Amino acid sequence: MYAIVEIAGQQFKVSKDLKVYVHRLADKEGDAISFAKVLLLDDNGTITLGAPAVEGASVEAKVLQHLKGDKVIVFKKKRRKGYKKRNGHRQYLTQIQISGITVPGAKKAAKKEAAPVTEEADAPKKKVAKAKKEETQE
């Protein structure tokens, strides 16, 4: 199962337990966040396209850390003019881990509790087993 979701103005293909670097988010480290702008949803071969977003779908994530990206050198030059300009840039990033994808209309599987077995429910079974035993002994 995967989804294409828009996070901080960029689109990412995400799945459960995936770690992604996105532009800096305002949330603190350790916070759980949810993204509602899911553009495409693939649920084991069943593809749902949004127009522009899928109604009721969301992606839950956890903020792991805030950091800065690698330095990128920006060098401008115009030949034969003596113009050179060197500049650097480091992008502020946030690392998030996708904790789950919520599908619209899907119900969470509830744990089924075993019904308590009473002797009254077992009584007919015991009678049938006893009768079969008597027939085989005769």
Side-chain angles (χ1 to χ4, degrees):
M1 169 183 256
Y2 71 89
I4 296 180
V5 63
E6 186 172 322
I7 302 171
Q10 292 183 318
Q11 296 176 7
F12 295 93
K13 180 181 176 181
V14 297
S15 59
K16 188 170 171 31
D17 298 328
L18 183 72
K19 293 181 181 176
V20 181
Y21 291 101
V22 298
H23 287 305
R24 181 66 61 100
L25 300 174
D27 301 298
K28 296 180 181 178
E29 292 182 11
D31 285 354
I33 52 178
S34 180
F35 304 105
K37 195 157 186 184
V38 178
L39 306 175
L40 180 137
L41 195 63
D42 181 11
D43 188 13
N44 299 326
T46 306
I47 296 176
T48 306
L49 270 174
V54 178
E55 292 290 326
S58 66
V59 174
E60 287 78 31
K62 180 181 177 186
V63 176
L64 297 179
Q65 64 176 336
H66 297 293
L67 54 121
K68 289 173 76 173
D70 294 334
K71 188 164 198 171
V72 178
I73 303 297
V74 179
F75 186 74
K76 298 178 183 178
K77 179 182 178 185
K78 295 187 179 178
R79 63 185 191 159
R80 297 187 301 269
K81 306 295 183 209
Y83 173 80
K84 294 181 188 176
K85 196 63 100 174
R86 182 177 183 271
N87 198 357
H89 174 74
R90 290 186 73 182
Q91 184 68 39
Y92 291 102
L93 301 173
T94 299
Q95 185 182 23
I96 61 173
Q97 183 172 14
I98 306 300
S99 57
I101 300 172
T102 305
V103 181
K107 296 180 182 177
K108 292 184 178 180
K111 293 182 181 178
K112 295 182 181 178
E113 294 181 16
V117 179
T118 60
E119 290 186 24
E120 295 170 0
D122 287 342
K125 293 178 185 175
K126 288 182 181 178
K127 287 180 183 177
V128 172
K130 206 176 229 184
K132 284 185 181 179
K133 230 183 214 184
E134 290 175 4
E135 288 177 9
T136 54
Q137 288 178 354
E138 292 177 357

